[in-house]
Amino acid sequence: MKQPEEYQKLIAFISNWVPLSETDINLLQSELSVEKYDKGDLILKQEQICTSLKFVISGVYRVYQIKDGKEITSYFNYDSRNLLVASFASLLKGHPSKEIIECIVPGRLISVKYSYWKWLYTQSEAFNTFGRLMAEFNYLLAIERIESLQHQNASNRYESFIKLYPDLLNRIPHHYIASYLGVTPESLSRIRKTVVNK
């Protein structure tokens, strides 16, 4: 079966983790869809239940929460890091999401219903293994984020951000980066000057 161009990136990504048979590929792409988003579009709203797993083809997406009237950015999804887009707590538990997912640079996502994704686990050892590997990988990302917030000062967090998201500094508004680092935009400006002058 011929692969639509948009699907090839997802298939290549999964194939880097587990080998996929032709049957696996056909099962997967039969239920995929491509979604286009513009800047400011919400992929998931707060209190909405996340029912789909999405994969970045292009664009940049921000996952954040609102606490005490302030936006707190958890992480960014784009084609060089965090390619799987979802509110995972909502997706796995079927509960309303505490998180908001917003498109901040226009792009496209591949989407698959999570109910179908779970069905794939029962049909294919490759997808079952991939699901476990992704769960482990996302757990490590979460621990990395928690340790950064708990044990690094703002300057160190900024330097870590540069290493984790080197392509984003000039692609997204700096107040989103400040929100990710847990500092004000003014503090971020001072931190950037300090790091540049090192």
Side-chain angles (χ1 to χ4, degrees), residues 65-80:
Q65 296 186 35
I66 298 176
K67 292 187 178 177
D68 301 324
K70 293 171 114 179
E71 293 184 0
I72 300 171
T73 299
S74 301
Y75 55 92
F76 301 95
N77 299 98
Y78 72 119
D79 60 4
S80 297

Side-chain angles (χ1 to χ4, degrees), residues 149-164:
L149 290 170
Q150 289 182 338
H151 304 298
Q152 292 184 329
N153 62 34
S155 293
N156 292 145
R157 291 200 298 275
Y158 177 70
E159 290 174 351
S160 294
F161 174 85
I162 294 172
K163 290 175 185 174
L164 294 176

